[in-house]
Each structure stands twice: as structure tokens, then as C-alpha cells.
Amino acid sequence: MYKTILVLAAALALPLLPALETVGGGYAQLPWKSTDGTGRVITENGRRIAVVEVPKGSEKGMHWLTAPVDVKPFMDKRVTMSIRARWQNVTRPPEKWNGVKFMFNYTGADGSRFWHHPQGLSGDRDWTEISAMIEPPEAGAHSGRLVLGLENSSGRVEFDLDSLKTFVMFGPGDRLNTGYKVSYPDRIANGPRRRGVMSPHTMTEADFKTLKEWNVNLIRYQIMRNWGKVGSDVDLDEYDRWINGKLDHLAQILEWARQYGIQVVIDLHTPPGGWTGSGMRMFDEKKYFDHYLEVWRRIASRFKGNPAVRAYDLINEPVQVTPAPYDYWTIQQKAAEAVRAIDPDTPVMVESNEAARPQTFSYLSPLAMDNVIYQVHMYMPMGFTHQGVATPEPPQSYPGVIRGVKYDREKLREVLQPVRDFQLRHNAKIYVGEFSAAAWAPGADRYLADCIELFEEYGWDWSYHAFREWDGWSVEHEGENRNSLRPSADNARKRVLLNGFKRNEH
């Protein structure tokens, strides 16, 4: 698959501006301008280098070089942009989306702003490639620009302008095993439907009692820490001490689950090596890839035959935007093979790329393996589901026009269509591992109800994100924004969810 990806990327390389196709040096000729005088473009060893340098004490603000970009070449494509960069003494910023900035942004038809960039980049790094995948802009988008520099950080960052490129990473033509039809044992193919919740990081017996009262029959248990934090989980001895403790806790969880008639999806949420600014470290470094396989052998050996285990969820929300030695699909294939060598009976779960988004099922290949369940996460449109999660923003209501696009149940059906097509094409079992909307989102109850009705229509299992994790996703809380959340014994979102769980009684 890796060779296929490289060929595809080369064949579909895109210019940012049509004029750049004929300009020597390409991106180096964009008209870069500094927002505050901290940035400049120099020539070093024959290459054009953008440099932004911010002194200590001047961290606050946007210290950027910017250049205008035509949005049209990005329409109807899932484009990756990448550049080589290095930085020194970049102070840790207040938010993970600050720090080193390599960003493409534009304005939607309704005036909404869109930003695409890697996150969590600070400290020191020698020359490395950083990248981000760009959501296809909707019709009417305009005012595109590229941004290079620092935000709310001091230090020095350099960008090799001659390395700046955009390309299509994946497409429908990249699929493997196109005619494969998945088969399942009867207990999976014809067993009871599973509807439940994403777990907190730890659970108590009291949690199981509550979930039993709610008629939940499934939890997705996340083995997780440092979610999205760059530079964590690189010490494998320390990682093993942590994960072994989590597996001890999981053994107790599985015993409670058995007692209360609830099955458990084991979700390896935090992989060995953690994250770089653009993806998971194990995509690029063999020692972490090898350790990832070893961890799954350990999990399968310990929990093989446990009746409370529903499935092994091999990786949470993989994001791969550039070619890598161990790509998001291959590592799951290898993990599935490692698990099957130990436990041939328990289903494995494969997640699609770009954090398991529905649209990525248009290029997802099935494994040439049976008893595999395919997992999607539903947070579309994120302008609704994640409104106000990171920063305050004007409310967006569902159903309604959200960032220039009308959303209702039929639009959600359109969003989910690639998953439905994959299901029918490959006879695949589909599991919605996560779906949610912020507690304060206007119409969140209607959104959840419409999602559930579609999942039910298609015969998909599902789990709500999340139970007793962060209050912003909790149906046991309500409020007008993230700073006003309060406990809530009864609210419209909770009623929708409990009504969904009633289907487990039949």
C-alpha cells in the first residue's frame, strides 16, 4: 500500500496557484509579508528560507509571514500541504494550536473562518517535515492564505520555502481488496445490536450500575492519557508501566461488565510513541511500530476468551497526511494479524483515516480478513458539534445553516453515505465508536436523535461520546457554554440517549 500511496501523491501533485506551475522555485515566489516585522525571507545554500524570530517577553500575538492563496484548486479534493521546518527555543504556548504555525486558512461563503494546521509544536526540532490535511472548501469560499511563523510563543522558526508542496494523499483509486466481502460468525452477524457509551479513563462499579439502569449493553473503554500531546509516551519502559496498570484496571472492568451484562470494546487510545505535530510517531519510527504490535499481543494474550470482550479496537483516530513507512492502514493490518495469531475468535476493529471521519470510507480498503468490524466517528459538521469547545464563538443551531451549508437529517445521511456504501460493498459490520455534540450546542438533542435514527436504519452499533469523562460531552450536565456547565438530572440530550438505549430491551 505504501508504494501505491507514493505513486498517487506524485501523480496528483497540485499547485497552490495555477501560475506557480510555470514559475521557477514555485512557492518561494509567493509574496510573503510579515505581520509585525519579526519575519523575513533569506537565501541559504541556494534555498529560500522563511525566518520568524520573536524575542523573549514578546510572545503574545501572531508573529506571521503570510501570502495570499487561491482557494479554487482545493475544491472537491482532500489535499495535504507540507513543508520542511526547524525551530529552536520555542516557548510552550497557552494553547496547543499556538506555537509553531504552518497554516492554510480561508473564508467560507457565509463569512465563517476555516483553519488547517498541525498542532502542539514547540521546544526544539531539527529539520523535519510538518503537514496538515485540508478539508475541501465549500462553494463560495475565498480569501485563502498561507501562514508561517509563531503564535503566542517566542523563539526562532525557519521554513524551507522550496520544500513547500500540496498533494492528494489518498483517493478512491487507491483502494485494495476492492471485491472482498467480509464474513462473520453467527454471534456477530446475527447477535443482539450493541448500543452504549464511550467510557471515562477509569470506571467504578457504581458507573456500571448506572449504565445498567440506562439499558446500556456496550462500553468502549479507552486506554488513554496525554491525548494529542506532542512528545509524550516516547519512553517505552515508562509507557509499559503505565499501560500494564491500565490493563490491571481493565481486568476489573471486564469482571464488572460480565456481572452487569455489558460488553467492552478495548480501545488502545494512546499508542507507544504518542504524537508528533502531524500524526502518530509509530507511523515513522520502527521501534514504536514494533512496540505497538507487542502491546496488542500482550492484550490479546491476557483477555483471550473473556466473554465480556466485544472487540479489539486497534487504534483510535489515526491521522496520516503524508507517506510513511508504517501507514495507518498497514499498522492496523499487522496488528490484526498479531492478534489473530493469539486470539482467532474475538473481532478486531479497524478505524478509517483522518480521525475515523465518514468521508474517508471513500478510500478505505477492507482487510482481506473476516470478522473485522469497521469503525467511524461522527462529529460532522464540526462547526456545530465542537462549537465553543476550544474558544468562544457565535452559536450555530441544528438543523440550520452551519458555516454556509444547510444541515438536517438528510444532509447527515449524505455525510454518512461513504460509510453506507462501504458497508454494502463489502458486507461490513459498522460501529460508530463516537458521536456527540457540545452540551450547549443549540439543537444538540435533535442532532443526536437524527444521528441515532440513521445508525438504526443502517443497522450500525454505536456508542455515545462520552459517559462521565469531560462535562462538555456529558448528558448529565447542561449549560450555556463551557464555563457555565452544571449537573443535570434530566435534559433533552439525556432523554434522546436513554430513548436510544431502550432499543436494547428488545
Side-chain angles (χ1 to χ4, degrees), residues 1 78 133 135 170-172 175 318-320 328-329 350-365 375-377 380 415-419 422 425:
M1 185 171 184
R78 305 194 64 72
M133 189 168 281
E135 290 287 332
F170 299 101
R175 288 200 298 262
V319 176
Q320 183 197 354
Y328 87 98
W329 189 88
V350 167
E351 297 194 26
S352 61
N353 195 21
E354 301 175 49
R357 292 186 180 188
Q359 56 267 43
T360 61
F361 276 73
S362 66
Y363 63 76
L364 177 67
S365 296
Q375 184 173 160
V376 63
H377 293 180
M380 306 301 289
V415 168
L416 292 168
Q417 191 61 44
V419 189
F422 181 94
R425 186 167 59 244

mmCIF file of all heavy atoms in Angstrom, residues 1 78 133 135 170-172 175 318-320 328-329 350-365 375-377 380 415-419 422 425:
data_model
loop_
_atom_site.group_PDB
_atom_site.id
_atom_site.type_symbol
_atom_site.label_atom_id
_atom_site.label_comp_id
_atom_site.label_asym_id
_atom_site.label_seq_id
_atom_site.Cartn_x
_atom_site.Cartn_y
_atom_site.Cartn_z
ATOM 1 N N MET A 1 0.825 -1.213 0.000
ATOM 2 C CA MET A 1 0.000 0.000 0.000
ATOM 3 C C MET A 1 0.854 1.256 0.000
ATOM 4 O O MET A 1 0.536 2.263 -0.602
ATOM 5 C CB MET A 1 -0.919 0.004 1.209
ATOM 6 C CG MET A 1 -1.883 1.193 1.203
ATOM 7 S SD MET A 1 -3.120 1.045 2.474
ATOM 8 C CE MET A 1 -4.112 2.471 2.119
ATOM 9 N N ARG A 78 -9.166 16.296 -1.218
ATOM 10 C CA ARG A 78 -8.622 16.238 0.138
ATOM 11 C C ARG A 78 -7.108 16.391 -0.001
ATOM 12 O O ARG A 78 -6.402 15.447 -0.332
ATOM 13 C CB ARG A 78 -9.001 14.933 0.814
ATOM 14 C CG ARG A 78 -10.513 14.697 0.812
ATOM 15 C CD ARG A 78 -10.924 13.595 1.747
ATOM 16 N NE ARG A 78 -10.634 13.930 3.127
ATOM 17 C CZ ARG A 78 -11.310 14.838 3.831
ATOM 18 N NH1 ARG A 78 -12.289 15.522 3.276
ATOM 19 N NH2 ARG A 78 -10.983 15.076 5.086
ATOM 20 N N MET A 133 -3.803 18.147 6.625
ATOM 21 C CA MET A 133 -4.754 17.856 5.568
ATOM 22 C C MET A 133 -5.852 18.909 5.574
ATOM 23 O O MET A 133 -6.309 19.333 6.644
ATOM 24 C CB MET A 133 -5.350 16.465 5.733
ATOM 25 C CG MET A 133 -6.187 16.013 4.554
ATOM 26 S SD MET A 133 -6.588 14.247 4.613
ATOM 27 C CE MET A 133 -5.065 13.514 4.025
ATOM 28 N N GLU A 135 -9.579 20.245 4.611
ATOM 29 C CA GLU A 135 -10.943 19.887 4.238
ATOM 30 C C GLU A 135 -11.312 20.603 2.947
ATOM 31 O O GLU A 135 -11.007 21.785 2.776
ATOM 32 C CB GLU A 135 -11.916 20.312 5.338
ATOM 33 C CG GLU A 135 -11.800 19.514 6.607
ATOM 34 C CD GLU A 135 -12.372 18.118 6.462
ATOM 35 O OE1 GLU A 135 -13.288 17.932 5.634
ATOM 36 O OE2 GLU A 135 -11.889 17.219 7.154
ATOM 37 N N PHE A 170 -4.657 10.385 -0.602
ATOM 38 C CA PHE A 170 -5.452 9.185 -0.831
ATOM 39 C C PHE A 170 -6.617 9.520 -1.753
ATOM 40 O O PHE A 170 -7.091 10.652 -1.791
ATOM 41 C CB PHE A 170 -6.030 8.630 0.476
ATOM 42 C CG PHE A 170 -5.005 8.219 1.486
ATOM 43 C CD1 PHE A 170 -4.696 9.039 2.562
ATOM 44 C CD2 PHE A 170 -4.357 7.002 1.367
ATOM 45 C CE1 PHE A 170 -3.761 8.648 3.501
ATOM 46 C CE2 PHE A 170 -3.419 6.609 2.307
ATOM 47 C CZ PHE A 170 -3.125 7.430 3.380
ATOM 48 N N GLY A 171 -7.097 8.516 -2.447
ATOM 49 C CA GLY A 171 -8.277 8.683 -3.281
ATOM 50 C C GLY A 171 -8.916 7.335 -3.540
ATOM 51 O O GLY A 171 -8.324 6.296 -3.252
ATOM 52 N N PRO A 172 -10.132 7.313 -4.083
ATOM 53 C CA PRO A 172 -10.811 6.035 -4.323
ATOM 54 C C PRO A 172 -9.994 5.054 -5.142
ATOM 55 O O PRO A 172 -10.102 3.840 -4.953
ATOM 56 C CB PRO A 172 -12.086 6.467 -5.056
ATOM 57 C CG PRO A 172 -12.333 7.867 -4.589
ATOM 58 C CD PRO A 172 -10.961 8.472 -4.420
ATOM 59 N N ARG A 175 -7.765 2.118 -3.430
ATOM 60 C CA ARG A 175 -8.311 1.017 -2.643
ATOM 61 C C ARG A 175 -7.695 -0.327 -3.021
ATOM 62 O O ARG A 175 -7.404 -0.606 -4.187
ATOM 63 C CB ARG A 175 -9.828 0.949 -2.806
ATOM 64 C CG ARG A 175 -10.578 2.074 -2.095
ATOM 65 C CD ARG A 175 -12.026 1.672 -1.896
ATOM 66 N NE ARG A 175 -12.698 1.465 -3.167
ATOM 67 C CZ ARG A 175 -13.471 2.356 -3.764
ATOM 68 N NH1 ARG A 175 -13.656 3.527 -3.217
ATOM 69 N NH2 ARG A 175 -14.063 2.074 -4.908
ATOM 70 N N PRO A 318 -6.685 7.324 13.824
ATOM 71 C CA PRO A 318 -5.422 7.547 13.117
ATOM 72 C C PRO A 318 -5.537 8.741 12.173
ATOM 73 O O PRO A 318 -6.586 8.972 11.572
ATOM 74 C CB PRO A 318 -5.226 6.246 12.335
ATOM 75 C CG PRO A 318 -6.613 5.712 12.131
ATOM 76 C CD PRO A 318 -7.361 6.096 13.377
ATOM 77 N N VAL A 319 -4.449 9.496 12.098
ATOM 78 C CA VAL A 319 -4.381 10.622 11.162
ATOM 79 C C VAL A 319 -3.058 10.523 10.427
ATOM 80 O O VAL A 319 -1.992 10.690 11.026
ATOM 81 C CB VAL A 319 -4.484 11.974 11.889
ATOM 82 C CG1 VAL A 319 -4.307 13.119 10.884
ATOM 83 C CG2 VAL A 319 -5.813 12.110 12.616
ATOM 84 N N GLN A 320 -3.130 10.223 9.146
ATOM 85 C CA GLN A 320 -1.930 10.167 8.311
ATOM 86 C C GLN A 320 -2.136 11.071 7.115
ATOM 87 O O GLN A 320 -3.068 10.872 6.332
ATOM 88 C CB GLN A 320 -1.643 8.741 7.832
ATOM 89 C CG GLN A 320 -0.349 8.650 7.023
ATOM 90 C CD GLN A 320 -0.258 7.391 6.206
ATOM 91 O OE1 GLN A 320 -1.099 6.500 6.310
ATOM 92 N NE2 GLN A 320 0.761 7.318 5.363
ATOM 93 N N TYR A 328 -1.291 4.237 8.215
ATOM 94 C CA TYR A 328 -2.411 3.998 9.125
ATOM 95 C C TYR A 328 -3.108 2.667 8.839
ATOM 96 O O TYR A 328 -3.614 2.005 9.749
ATOM 97 C CB TYR A 328 -3.418 5.151 9.031
ATOM 98 C CG TYR A 328 -4.451 4.976 7.943
ATOM 99 C CD1 TYR A 328 -5.715 4.482 8.239
ATOM 100 C CD2 TYR A 328 -4.156 5.256 6.606
ATOM 101 C CE1 TYR A 328 -6.663 4.282 7.243
ATOM 102 C CE2 TYR A 328 -5.090 5.062 5.615
ATOM 103 C CZ TYR A 328 -6.340 4.581 5.930
ATOM 104 O OH TYR A 328 -7.256 4.369 4.933
ATOM 105 N N TRP A 329 -3.145 2.242 7.579
ATOM 106 C CA TRP A 329 -3.833 1.018 7.201
ATOM 107 C C TRP A 329 -2.966 -0.201 7.492
ATOM 108 O O TRP A 329 -3.428 -1.190 8.069
ATOM 109 C CB TRP A 329 -4.190 1.088 5.711
ATOM 110 C CG TRP A 329 -5.078 -0.001 5.206
ATOM 111 C CD1 TRP A 329 -6.438 -0.002 5.197
ATOM 112 C CD2 TRP A 329 -4.670 -1.235 4.603
ATOM 113 N NE1 TRP A 329 -6.918 -1.160 4.625
ATOM 114 C CE2 TRP A 329 -5.845 -1.939 4.251
ATOM 115 C CE3 TRP A 329 -3.437 -1.822 4.328
ATOM 116 C CZ2 TRP A 329 -5.816 -3.186 3.635
ATOM 117 C CZ3 TRP A 329 -3.402 -3.071 3.713
ATOM 118 C CH2 TRP A 329 -4.579 -3.734 3.377
ATOM 119 N N VAL A 350 -11.153 -1.937 12.873
ATOM 120 C CA VAL A 350 -10.281 -1.077 12.084
ATOM 121 C C VAL A 350 -10.955 0.286 11.949
ATOM 122 O O VAL A 350 -12.154 0.374 11.668
ATOM 123 C CB VAL A 350 -10.023 -1.686 10.693
ATOM 124 C CG1 VAL A 350 -9.399 -0.673 9.745
ATOM 125 C CG2 VAL A 350 -9.131 -2.914 10.819
ATOM 126 N N GLU A 351 -10.173 1.348 12.164
ATOM 127 C CA GLU A 351 -10.693 2.704 12.019
ATOM 128 C C GLU A 351 -10.150 3.339 10.742
ATOM 129 O O GLU A 351 -9.025 3.076 10.330
ATOM 130 C CB GLU A 351 -10.326 3.556 13.237
ATOM 131 C CG GLU A 351 -10.934 3.043 14.527
ATOM 132 C CD GLU A 351 -10.868 4.051 15.658
ATOM 133 O OE1 GLU A 351 -10.822 5.274 15.379
ATOM 134 O OE2 GLU A 351 -10.844 3.608 16.826
ATOM 135 N N SER A 352 -10.942 4.182 10.151
ATOM 136 C CA SER A 352 -10.533 4.865 8.932
ATOM 137 C C SER A 352 -9.626 6.048 9.267
ATOM 138 O O SER A 352 -9.461 6.414 10.430
ATOM 139 C CB SER A 352 -11.761 5.333 8.143
ATOM 140 O OG SER A 352 -12.526 6.244 8.912
ATOM 141 N N ASN A 353 -9.070 6.646 8.245
ATOM 142 C CA ASN A 353 -8.101 7.725 8.401
ATOM 143 C C ASN A 353 -8.783 9.038 8.794
ATOM 144 O O ASN A 353 -10.004 9.127 8.860
ATOM 145 C CB ASN A 353 -7.335 7.890 7.078
ATOM 146 C CG ASN A 353 -6.082 8.730 7.236
ATOM 147 O OD1 ASN A 353 -5.541 8.894 8.327
ATOM 148 N ND2 ASN A 353 -5.598 9.268 6.129
ATOM 149 N N GLU A 354 -7.938 10.038 9.057
ATOM 150 C CA GLU A 354 -8.398 11.390 9.385
ATOM 151 C C GLU A 354 -9.323 11.368 10.592
ATOM 152 O O GLU A 354 -10.401 11.964 10.593
ATOM 153 C CB GLU A 354 -9.073 12.051 8.189
ATOM 154 C CG GLU A 354 -8.172 12.177 6.967
ATOM 155 C CD GLU A 354 -8.906 12.726 5.774
ATOM 156 O OE1 GLU A 354 -9.590 13.753 5.908
ATOM 157 O OE2 GLU A 354 -8.794 12.113 4.689
ATOM 158 N N ALA A 355 -8.900 10.623 11.623
ATOM 159 C CA ALA A 355 -9.665 10.519 12.864
ATOM 160 C C ALA A 355 -11.004 9.823 12.654
ATOM 161 O O ALA A 355 -12.000 10.163 13.269
ATOM 162 C CB ALA A 355 -9.859 11.885 13.520
ATOM 163 N N ALA A 356 -10.998 8.822 11.746
ATOM 164 C CA ALA A 356 -12.171 7.961 11.503
ATOM 165 C C ALA A 356 -13.372 8.732 10.977
ATOM 166 O O ALA A 356 -14.518 8.398 11.265
ATOM 167 C CB ALA A 356 -12.548 7.188 12.774
ATOM 168 N N ARG A 357 -13.121 9.745 10.160
ATOM 169 C CA ARG A 357 -14.217 10.548 9.623
ATOM 170 C C ARG A 357 -14.980 9.787 8.536
ATOM 171 O O ARG A 357 -14.398 8.998 7.797
ATOM 172 C CB ARG A 357 -13.678 11.859 9.057
ATOM 173 C CG ARG A 357 -13.142 12.785 10.129
ATOM 174 C CD ARG A 357 -12.753 14.120 9.550
ATOM 175 N NE ARG A 357 -12.244 15.006 10.592
ATOM 176 C CZ ARG A 357 -11.971 16.289 10.392
ATOM 177 N NH1 ARG A 357 -12.135 16.825 9.186
ATOM 178 N NH2 ARG A 357 -11.515 17.041 11.378
ATOM 179 N N PRO A 358 -16.272 10.078 8.390
ATOM 180 C CA PRO A 358 -17.072 9.341 7.409
ATOM 181 C C PRO A 358 -16.547 9.433 5.983
ATOM 182 O O PRO A 358 -16.566 8.446 5.241
ATOM 183 C CB PRO A 358 -18.457 9.997 7.522
ATOM 184 C CG PRO A 358 -18.504 10.574 8.894
ATOM 185 C CD PRO A 358 -17.099 10.999 9.201
ATOM 186 N N GLN A 359 -16.077 10.611 5.570
ATOM 187 C CA GLN A 359 -15.684 10.793 4.181
ATOM 188 C C GLN A 359 -14.501 9.918 3.784
ATOM 189 O O GLN A 359 -14.306 9.616 2.600
ATOM 190 C CB GLN A 359 -15.374 12.267 3.888
ATOM 191 C CG GLN A 359 -14.324 12.891 4.787
ATOM 192 C CD GLN A 359 -14.914 13.594 5.990
ATOM 193 O OE1 GLN A 359 -15.825 13.075 6.623
ATOM 194 N NE2 GLN A 359 -14.401 14.784 6.300
ATOM 195 N N THR A 360 -13.710 9.466 4.748
ATOM 196 C CA THR A 360 -12.531 8.670 4.424
ATOM 197 C C THR A 360 -12.882 7.239 4.021
ATOM 198 O O THR A 360 -12.027 6.519 3.499
ATOM 199 C CB THR A 360 -11.550 8.646 5.609
ATOM 200 O OG1 THR A 360 -12.184 8.046 6.741
ATOM 201 C CG2 THR A 360 -11.110 10.047 5.969
ATOM 202 N N PHE A 361 -14.113 6.824 4.255
ATOM 203 C CA PHE A 361 -14.535 5.496 3.801
ATOM 204 C C PHE A 361 -14.593 5.417 2.273
ATOM 205 O O PHE A 361 -14.681 4.329 1.721
ATOM 206 C CB PHE A 361 -15.877 5.116 4.417
ATOM 207 C CG PHE A 361 -15.755 4.520 5.793
ATOM 208 C CD1 PHE A 361 -15.434 5.309 6.878
ATOM 209 C CD2 PHE A 361 -15.949 3.166 5.997
ATOM 210 C CE1 PHE A 361 -15.304 4.766 8.149
ATOM 211 C CE2 PHE A 361 -15.825 2.605 7.263
ATOM 212 C CZ PHE A 361 -15.491 3.402 8.344
ATOM 213 N N SER A 362 -14.515 6.543 1.596
ATOM 214 C CA SER A 362 -14.492 6.520 0.142
ATOM 215 C C SER A 362 -13.193 5.928 -0.384
ATOM 216 O O SER A 362 -13.141 5.441 -1.516
ATOM 217 C CB SER A 362 -14.682 7.934 -0.420
ATOM 218 O OG SER A 362 -13.580 8.764 -0.079
ATOM 219 N N TYR A 363 -12.120 5.970 0.433
ATOM 220 C CA TYR A 363 -10.854 5.364 0.005
ATOM 221 C C TYR A 363 -10.360 4.268 0.949
ATOM 222 O O TYR A 363 -9.288 3.714 0.754
ATOM 223 C CB TYR A 363 -9.772 6.417 -0.210
ATOM 224 C CG TYR A 363 -9.347 7.227 1.005
ATOM 225 C CD1 TYR A 363 -8.519 6.693 1.980
ATOM 226 C CD2 TYR A 363 -9.727 8.559 1.137
ATOM 227 C CE1 TYR A 363 -8.105 7.443 3.071
ATOM 228 C CE2 TYR A 363 -9.308 9.326 2.224
ATOM 229 C CZ TYR A 363 -8.494 8.764 3.182
ATOM 230 O OH TYR A 363 -8.076 9.516 4.258
ATOM 231 N N LEU A 364 -11.124 3.937 1.980
ATOM 232 C CA LEU A 364 -10.710 2.879 2.903
ATOM 233 C C LEU A 364 -10.772 1.516 2.216
ATOM 234 O O LEU A 364 -11.751 1.191 1.548
ATOM 235 C CB LEU A 364 -11.610 2.874 4.133
ATOM 236 C CG LEU A 364 -11.344 1.771 5.164
ATOM 237 C CD1 LEU A 364 -9.984 1.964 5.831
ATOM 238 C CD2 LEU A 364 -12.451 1.741 6.219
ATOM 239 N N SER A 365 -9.730 0.718 2.410
ATOM 240 C CA SER A 365 -9.728 -0.666 1.926
ATOM 241 C C SER A 365 -10.094 -1.601 3.077
ATOM 242 O O SER A 365 -9.618 -1.407 4.200
ATOM 243 C CB SER A 365 -8.336 -1.051 1.421
ATOM 244 O OG SER A 365 -7.959 -0.279 0.317
ATOM 245 N N GLN A 375 -14.906 0.925 11.984
ATOM 246 C CA GLN A 375 -15.370 1.957 12.916
ATOM 247 C C GLN A 375 -15.279 3.344 12.308
ATOM 248 O O GLN A 375 -14.287 3.718 11.701
ATOM 249 C CB GLN A 375 -14.531 1.907 14.198
ATOM 250 C CG GLN A 375 -15.008 2.874 15.258
ATOM 251 C CD GLN A 375 -14.300 2.709 16.594
ATOM 252 O OE1 GLN A 375 -14.301 3.619 17.417
ATOM 253 N NE2 GLN A 375 -13.697 1.551 16.829
ATOM 254 N N VAL A 376 -16.347 4.118 12.517
ATOM 255 C CA VAL A 376 -16.424 5.509 12.093
ATOM 256 C C VAL A 376 -16.748 6.365 13.309
ATOM 257 O O VAL A 376 -17.387 5.892 14.265
ATOM 258 C CB VAL A 376 -17.503 5.686 11.000
ATOM 259 C CG1 VAL A 376 -18.895 5.348 11.538
ATOM 260 C CG2 VAL A 376 -17.490 7.096 10.418
ATOM 261 N N HIS A 377 -16.305 7.623 13.292
ATOM 262 C CA HIS A 377 -16.675 8.600 14.313
ATOM 263 C C HIS A 377 -17.453 9.719 13.637
ATOM 264 O O HIS A 377 -17.058 10.203 12.569
ATOM 265 C CB HIS A 377 -15.429 9.152 15.011
ATOM 266 C CG HIS A 377 -14.717 8.133 15.834
ATOM 267 N ND1 HIS A 377 -13.570 8.414 16.550
ATOM 268 C CD2 HIS A 377 -14.974 6.819 16.058
ATOM 269 C CE1 HIS A 377 -13.152 7.320 17.176
ATOM 270 N NE2 HIS A 377 -13.998 6.348 16.888
ATOM 271 N N MET A 380 -19.695 15.406 12.398
ATOM 272 C CA MET A 380 -19.896 16.322 11.282
ATOM 273 C C MET A 380 -21.297 16.915 11.345
ATOM 274 O O MET A 380 -22.262 16.175 11.563
ATOM 275 C CB MET A 380 -19.687 15.590 9.953
ATOM 276 C CG MET A 380 -18.350 14.881 9.841
ATOM 277 S SD MET A 380 -16.920 15.961 10.004
ATOM 278 C CE MET A 380 -17.017 16.866 8.473
ATOM 279 N N VAL A 415 -23.617 12.915 4.460
ATOM 280 C CA VAL A 415 -22.283 12.841 5.084
ATOM 281 C C VAL A 415 -21.891 11.384 5.330
ATOM 282 O O VAL A 415 -20.739 10.985 5.130
ATOM 283 C CB VAL A 415 -22.267 13.644 6.398
ATOM 284 C CG1 VAL A 415 -21.005 13.352 7.208
ATOM 285 C CG2 VAL A 415 -22.385 15.146 6.117
ATOM 286 N N LEU A 416 -22.844 10.578 5.776
ATOM 287 C CA LEU A 416 -22.575 9.182 6.131
ATOM 288 C C LEU A 416 -22.609 8.230 4.941
ATOM 289 O O LEU A 416 -22.291 7.044 5.092
ATOM 290 C CB LEU A 416 -23.587 8.713 7.186
ATOM 291 C CG LEU A 416 -23.448 9.362 8.567
ATOM 292 C CD1 LEU A 416 -24.663 9.040 9.428
ATOM 293 C CD2 LEU A 416 -22.170 8.913 9.274
ATOM 294 N N GLN A 417 -22.956 8.722 3.765
ATOM 295 C CA GLN A 417 -23.120 7.844 2.614
ATOM 296 C C GLN A 417 -21.864 7.043 2.270
ATOM 297 O O GLN A 417 -21.965 5.856 1.907
ATOM 298 C CB GLN A 417 -23.580 8.644 1.397
ATOM 299 C CG GLN A 417 -24.036 7.773 0.234
ATOM 300 C CD GLN A 417 -25.227 6.901 0.595
ATOM 301 O OE1 GLN A 417 -26.182 7.367 1.224
ATOM 302 N NE2 GLN A 417 -25.180 5.622 0.212
ATOM 303 N N PRO A 418 -20.633 7.611 2.362
ATOM 304 C CA PRO A 418 -19.452 6.784 2.082
ATOM 305 C C PRO A 418 -19.336 5.563 2.996
ATOM 306 O O PRO A 418 -18.858 4.510 2.571
ATOM 307 C CB PRO A 418 -18.282 7.748 2.290
ATOM 308 C CG PRO A 418 -18.854 9.102 2.034
ATOM 309 C CD PRO A 418 -20.255 9.033 2.573
ATOM 310 N N VAL A 419 -19.794 5.697 4.234
ATOM 311 C CA VAL A 419 -19.756 4.567 5.164
ATOM 312 C C VAL A 419 -20.804 3.529 4.754
ATOM 313 O O VAL A 419 -20.535 2.319 4.750
ATOM 314 C CB VAL A 419 -20.003 5.038 6.613
ATOM 315 C CG1 VAL A 419 -19.752 3.893 7.589
ATOM 316 C CG2 VAL A 419 -19.129 6.234 6.956
ATOM 317 N N PHE A 422 -19.554 1.665 1.765
ATOM 318 C CA PHE A 422 -18.538 0.691 2.169
ATOM 319 C C PHE A 422 -19.205 -0.538 2.774
ATOM 320 O O PHE A 422 -18.852 -1.682 2.469
ATOM 321 C CB PHE A 422 -17.580 1.341 3.168
ATOM 322 C CG PHE A 422 -16.477 0.443 3.653
ATOM 323 C CD1 PHE A 422 -15.238 0.441 3.029
ATOM 324 C CD2 PHE A 422 -16.658 -0.397 4.744
ATOM 325 C CE1 PHE A 422 -14.207 -0.378 3.465
ATOM 326 C CE2 PHE A 422 -15.647 -1.219 5.191
ATOM 327 C CZ PHE A 422 -14.418 -1.213 4.552
ATOM 328 N N ARG A 425 -20.837 -2.515 -0.026
ATOM 329 C CA ARG A 425 -19.857 -3.030 -0.978
ATOM 330 C C ARG A 425 -19.115 -4.244 -0.438
ATOM 331 O O ARG A 425 -18.793 -5.177 -1.178
ATOM 332 C CB ARG A 425 -18.882 -1.904 -1.330
ATOM 333 C CG ARG A 425 -17.877 -2.238 -2.412
ATOM 334 C CD ARG A 425 -17.170 -0.988 -2.929
ATOM 335 N NE ARG A 425 -16.462 -0.256 -1.908
ATOM 336 C CZ ARG A 425 -16.749 0.989 -1.514
ATOM 337 N NH1 ARG A 425 -17.770 1.646 -2.056
ATOM 338 N NH2 ARG A 425 -16.036 1.589 -0.583
#
